[in-house]
Amino acid sequence: MSNELTKSARRVFDILELFRERQCPLRLKDVADCLDMPTSSAAALLKTMAQMNYLSFESTSRAYLPTLRLSQLGSWVTAANYESGPIQEAVRRIGRKVGETILLGTVTDIYVEIVDILRAKQPLQYYTTVGTRVLLVHSGVGWPLLSGIADEDIARIYRRTVRLKKIDRGVSSLNRLKAGIDQVRRDGYCLSRGMVTRGVGVVGMMIPTPPNHRRLAIGVAGPMERIEKNMARILAAIRAENARLAHFAGAID
């Protein structure tokens, strides 16, 4: 694929993300200015998306707005608003109980991509942003996600991570990784002690999801000392909500 085609594809998704963020009609100038995109490129992409009925165009205001067809593209992924309903409610309840930053992550190639965050109420807290990617093989949210796949697939992901020079074998060997994943399988959770950020602890655990839904893991993150001190309360909060979510996931099935 040429660089120009790749750039155009990226710009389409940038436009969609802008609509998600603003949640209102946008004019050509709004899109071009917000995304620092050439006006001619923005105009061509918006026109094409409108012609394909993914955007509507209101001639009076000269503004674009996503159509129902666009929202239907991914409707099968969220399984009756599972993530925006039961999961978000569960995350809020966990947040109230533990007071720490709550992360939701899913698999993207060799990474965990953070797809949702609930900020901590503590003055000293772990901070990251939606869209951040950390390595599957070296993170407290990544290990639970790896625990549900076969050992040969874990090895393949590890070798690809090393080949892409994202991690050094001296930092985490394959044998060490497999031993850690086996521990997660036995315990049902992962406790990361500074794997991604020094001094930050993360308790990671899988979340029940309906069939064909993307796999999700939850992480409770904060200063290591505070996380270790409150481990029992954190695990109890996540397990209680996982029991609720298992019921919802089964009902959707």
Side-chain angles (χ1 to χ4, degrees):
M1 184 179 290
S2 70
N3 289 336
E4 283 303 313
L5 287 175
T6 301
K7 184 184 294 185
S8 294
R10 282 183 167 276
R11 283 173 170 170
V12 167
F13 287 107
D14 286 341
I15 290 171
L16 297 178
E17 287 287 344
L18 181 62
F19 275 112
R20 183 185 65 82
E21 179 184 322
R22 294 298 183 84
Q23 298 186 13
C24 66
L26 296 174
R27 296 178 299 166
L28 169 61
K29 187 176 187 303
D30 300 326
V31 173
D33 288 351
C34 290
L35 299 178
D36 194 23
M37 188 185 299
T39 301
S40 58
S41 298
L45 291 174
L46 289 169
K47 183 178 180 181
T48 299
M49 294 167 75
Q51 288 173 340
M52 296 178 69
N53 198 30
Y54 289 118
L55 297 179
S56 63
F57 177 68
E58 212 288 307
S59 58
T60 303
S61 62
R62 305 196 64 77
Y64 293 86
L65 189 67
T67 65
L68 183 60
R69 183 181 184 187
L70 181 61
S71 68
Q72 290 171 338
L73 279 178
S75 60
W76 63 275
V77 176
T78 56
N81 297 319
Y82 182 65
E83 288 185 32
S84 60
I87 287 184
Q88 285 198 356
E89 291 169 10
V91 165
R92 286 194 288 267
R93 283 192 290 266
I94 293 170
R96 286 195 293 269
K97 291 177 181 177
V98 305
E100 301 289 357
T101 296
I102 315 294
L103 312 171
L104 283 180
T106 193
V107 176
T108 301
D109 191 22
I110 62 171
Y111 300 98
V112 180
E113 181 172 352
I114 303 303
V115 296
D116 204 0
I117 298 172
L118 179 68
R119 304 290 178 200
K121 296 180 179 179
Q122 308 273 10
L124 182 61
Q125 60 175 276
Y126 174 67
Y127 183 86
T128 190
T129 57
V130 170
T132 296
R133 293 183 177 186
V134 296
L135 294 173
L136 279 165
V137 302
H138 201 65
S139 65
V141 182
W143 282 19
L145 288 163
L146 289 177
S147 69
I149 66 175
D151 285 349
E152 54 266 32
D153 292 325
I154 293 174
R156 178 181 52 79
I157 291 170
Y158 174 81
R159 287 192 292 267
R160 175 168 162 74
T161 304
V162 172
R163 188 167 65 250
L164 292 173
K165 299 181 179 180
K166 300 299 181 180
I167 196 169
D168 192 292
R169 281 190 174 90
V171 173
S172 179
S173 69
L174 180 56
N175 286 338
R176 191 181 308 160
L177 173 63
K178 286 183 175 180
I181 298 300
D182 284 342
Q183 185 71 42
V184 173
R185 288 168 176 159
R186 288 192 297 271
D187 297 341
Y189 69 91
C190 172
L191 173 59
S192 161
R193 292 179 170 90
M195 271 202 277
V196 175
T197 304
R198 181 179 296 179
V200 172
V202 178
V203 179
M205 194 180 297
M206 291 299 295
I207 290 179
T209 53
N212 301 320
H213 193 285
R214 63 180 179 178
R215 296 168 64 240
L216 292 169
I218 190 169
V220 176
M224 187 70 253
E225 183 178 349
R226 207 162 65 203
I227 292 295
E228 289 185 319
K229 178 182 177 181
N230 296 314
M231 271 290 294
R233 184 154 54 96
I234 291 169
L235 290 174
I238 298 175
R239 285 168 175 158
E241 294 306 322
N242 270 0
R244 293 175 188 256
L245 291 173
H247 170 74
F248 280 108
I252 290 172
D253 184 22

